[in-house]
Amino acid sequence: MRQPLVILDNVWKVYRLGYTRVYAVRGVSLELYKSEFTAIVGPSGSGKSTLLHLIGGLDKPTRGRIVVDGMEISSFDERELAEYRRRYVGFVFQQFYLIPRLTALENVEIAMMARGVPQSERRRRALKLLEMVGLKDRAYHRPGELSGGEQQRVAIARALANNPKLLLADEPTGNLDSATAHSIMKLFRRLVDEQGVTIIMVTHNLELVSYCDRVIKLRDGVVVGDERVSKS
């Protein structure tokens, strides 16, 4: 029997805005498995990004447990969460967050500096990752010389630099045209199938869920659907 990589047990996230409480996530319990591509979908304000941020250790639940790879990250302090993010999680966002003055290669390398990876190893791995995402020939170009799709591929390579257990993608195609969005989804699918990467993606684009293994639907912070995607 497969063991889940991520376990959410009755997870709540409540924000206080003055005298008002905003219930972003309400009692979510889920098990997410290794080497699967999961989409989290729902309308704006449904809690999708909040849930992703909780799994990624960018925020802490108000109550409930989150366990990743056997570690109860919901009990971590800020130092432990920072180390968890650095060692276990790669993030891909709608904005690419590349450093304009650095080349694609340097943008990927910089993710490994905090881990103390030697320069020669950083360079070797960054080149390998750029080749994996189809950008070997663009390694020495700066972000301003790359298309939106190419910049997102650099961001994906950077997210994979430290061999994360989880790749968390928050609206990764939101700034891309349809054709480029599908090319990014094909890349994600290949990373899951060929590299065994575990991907959890938030998206509002239901056209893209056909690339996934599983779709979780949220509304008002509650799971209202959880389906496997049939592969025709």
Side-chain angles (χ1 to χ4, degrees):
M1 185 176 179
R2 291 186 307 166
Q3 294 296 314
L5 179 63
V6 178
I7 300 171
L8 295 99
D9 179 17
N10 193 29
V11 171
W12 291 72
K13 183 62 184 181
V14 183
Y15 296 100
R16 289 182 178 273
L17 297 176
Y19 294 105
T20 303
R21 291 183 178 184
V22 177
Y23 291 82
V25 174
R26 302 167 180 252
V28 169
S29 294
L30 288 169
E31 293 185 348
L32 304 172
Y33 294 91
K34 184 178 179 181
S35 302
E36 284 195 345
F37 187 2
T38 300
I40 301 174
V41 304
S44 296
S46 61
K48 305 185 300 297
S49 292
T50 299
L51 194 61
L52 201 72
H53 292 173
L54 292 170
I55 295 169
L58 294 171
D59 204 350
K60 295 185 70 172
T62 305
R63 63 179 184 267
R65 297 170 62 249
I66 302 174
V67 179
V68 179
D69 201 30
M71 302 177 297
E72 188 177 339
I73 68 165
S74 47
S75 68
F76 282 3
D77 60 26
E78 291 303 321
R79 181 189 61 79
E80 291 169 322
L81 283 173
E83 182 65 11
Y84 161 72
R85 292 191 298 268
R86 188 160 47 243
R87 293 177 59 88
Y88 286 88
V89 187
F91 294 97
V92 180
F93 298 101
Q94 181 173 343
Q95 304 295 331
F96 312 127
Y97 296 120
L98 301 178
I99 300 174
R101 61 184 174 80
L102 300 183
T103 65
L105 182 64
E106 291 166 337
N107 268 283
V108 178
E109 283 187 88
I110 202 168
M112 292 177 267
M113 292 180 67
R115 293 287 305 276
V117 179
Q119 184 177 10
S120 59
E121 173 63 14
R122 293 200 307 264
R123 181 60 51 94
R124 183 197 67 78
R125 178 155 176 75
L127 283 169
K128 182 179 179 181
L129 286 166
L130 287 172
E131 182 176 11
M132 182 191 302
V133 300
L135 287 178
K136 182 180 180 180
D137 295 339
R138 309 287 277 170
Y140 295 96
H141 288 70
R142 290 183 172 82
E145 301 169 315
L146 302 174
S147 70
E150 288 171 334
Q151 290 184 63
Q152 191 62 295
R153 286 171 180 265
V154 174
I156 292 167
R158 180 186 58 195
L160 295 170
N162 291 315
N163 290 310
K165 294 277 187 181
L166 280 171
L167 182 64
L168 303 182
D170 194 351
E171 299 284 6
T173 62
N175 285 333
L176 305 176
D177 62 73
S178 178
T180 305
H182 282 277
S183 73
I184 293 297
M185 288 300 100
K186 290 174 183 176
L187 172 58
F188 279 165
R189 186 70 255 173
R190 183 160 54 86
L191 289 171
V192 173
D193 293 339
E194 298 178 8
Q195 305 294 326
V197 176
T198 304
I199 301 177
I200 304 172
M201 175 185 71
V202 161
T203 185
H204 67 277
N205 189 343
L206 297 182
E207 291 183 11
L208 303 179
V209 302
S210 61
Y211 292 94
C212 301
D213 300 300
R214 182 179 177 188
V215 179
I216 295 166
K217 299 177 182 178
L218 288 186
R219 182 177 293 276
D220 298 327
V222 177
V223 174
V224 295
D226 186 352
E227 302 172 356
R228 305 296 300 184
V229 177
S230 61
K231 305 295 182 182
S232 55

